[in-house]
Amino acid sequence: MSHDLDSLYQDIILDHAKRRLNSGLREPFEAEVHHVNPTCGDEVTLRLHLDGDVVRDISYDNQGCSISSASASVMTELLIGKTAAENQPVFDAFLEMMRGKGQVEPDEDVLEDAIAFAGAAKLTARIKCALLSWMAYQDALARAQEDSHV
Ligand code: ZN
């Protein structure tokens, strides 16, 4: 990765860590989960509001490092307003990139700003930071869908 690209990615992460888009817990919601990354001390409480299959809102309250805060911000920006099915390829691509140890060539068309975490994928200690809110979303989605189908 070129130095310029690295610093561009770093700017995106710092910008999102500062702005924390969609942060703060809101109502209504169908599922609330709390996830912890003990390696770094990051914590997130995340609420998911579904309207049929559409993700109407993802609200969260988090404490932790810049990577975990930025990741939650980017994720909500990407996933809110789309159906769970439309979000699945984005989720899968992010997971694949983060678990690829920097060997996976990320697709910017799918990942948009989330591509900025490509650098973090090479730092084993930061992978869980970047994945924390995404795993919380997946967990909340499973719970919300379980409840609506019972
Ligand atoms: Zn962290």
Side-chain angles (χ1 to χ4, degrees):
M1 196 179 293
S2 75
H3 178 71
D4 286 350
L5 201 53
D6 263 344
S7 66
L8 172 68
Y9 286 172
Q10 212 161 45
D11 286 349
I12 293 174
I13 289 175
L14 291 176
D15 184 49
H16 272 281
K18 203 188 297 173
R19 289 162 68 204
R20 300 156 73 100
L21 301 174
N22 302 300
S23 66
L25 294 171
R26 289 180 293 277
E27 300 194 4
F29 61 95
E30 287 71 47
E32 178 180 296
V33 298
H34 182 71
H35 280 222
V36 177
N37 169 21
T39 318
C40 178
D42 310 313
E43 291 190 32
V44 65
T45 301
L46 180 144
R47 289 177 176 178
L48 176 69
H49 173 40
L50 286 179
D51 179 3
D53 280 335
V54 178
V55 174
R56 282 279 171 236
D57 196 19
I58 303 170
S59 65
Y60 63 93
D61 183 36
N62 78 310
Q63 291 187 317
C65 65
S66 302
I67 300 253
S68 67
S69 294
S71 184
S73 175
V74 168
M75 180 190 77
T76 57
E77 188 180 36
L78 288 181
L79 303 189
I80 291 173
K82 296 183 195 149
T83 67
E86 285 168 338
N87 283 335
Q88 197 58 48
V90 183
F91 182 89
D92 290 344
F94 190 75
L95 214 64
E96 192 190 358
M97 176 178 77
M98 293 314 298
R99 290 179 170 167
K101 299 182 167 66
Q103 302 304 308
V104 174
E105 191 61 51
D107 185 345
E108 190 167 6
D109 290 338
V110 175
L111 288 168
E112 301 180 41
D113 272 4
I115 202 169
F117 295 90
K122 290 181 213 157
L123 311 168
T124 310
R126 311 320 297 273
I127 293 172
K128 283 184 182 167
C129 303
L131 282 176
L132 181 68
S133 56
W134 294 72
M135 296 324 242
Y137 162 77
Q138 187 185 47
D139 186 13
L141 180 65
R143 291 185 197 205
Q145 288 178 333
E146 218 170 77
D147 286 348
S148 68
H149 293 160
V150 169

